[in-house]
Amino acid sequence: LLICRQVDAVGGRMEYVGTALAEMTMPQISPLAGEPIERADAERLAGVLKALADPARLRLLSLIQSAPEGEACVCDLTAMIGADISTVSKHLSVMKEAGIVLDDKRGNQVFYRLRVPCIINFFGCVESVLETRAKEQAAYLEAIGDKV
């Protein structure tokens, strides 16, 4: 992501004044890399996972993702989740601080959208873990049932 400003309106020259992402050191985390992650990277990842580790926040993410235009107003989210506005706002604030959602204030209303929509794909992975666990437990119960 380049941030630039126009220097010469006649010639249309642009001068780069910096990049938004160049100052951050991002970990090279890939299941294909085969390398263990560093402690600092694990802590950063855990911060995002901690922000997701709440049923109300997972519901909020789902509601935002499935809303028209991929964004939802706090007032609508409050009604959909059945919690008071301060509780919903606190959950959204935690997710915003973790970099999961973005907010956009429009008059008296605040709209939220997913910063990186692919975060929803993570839920599919978690579902696979749960399904595998359930299958293993069922197989275990079947095996011990045959012995009794």
Side-chain angles (χ1 to χ4, degrees), residues 9-30:
V10 177
R13 283 190 347 237
M14 300 295 273
E15 177 185 347
Y16 297 112
V17 294
T19 60
L21 299 177
E23 296 171 9
M24 292 181 64
T25 303
M26 299 303 292
Q28 297 299 316
I29 300 170
S30 167

Side-chain angles (χ1 to χ4, degrees), residues 55-67 70 72 77 80 95 101 114 119-120 123:
R57 292 184 200 139
L58 294 176
R59 287 202 58 221
L60 286 167
L61 280 181
S62 175
L63 290 167
I64 293 168
Q65 182 268 334
S66 63
L77 292 169
M80 289 187 264
M95 291 191 295
V101 296
L114 302 181
I119 192 98
I120 295 297
F123 296 154

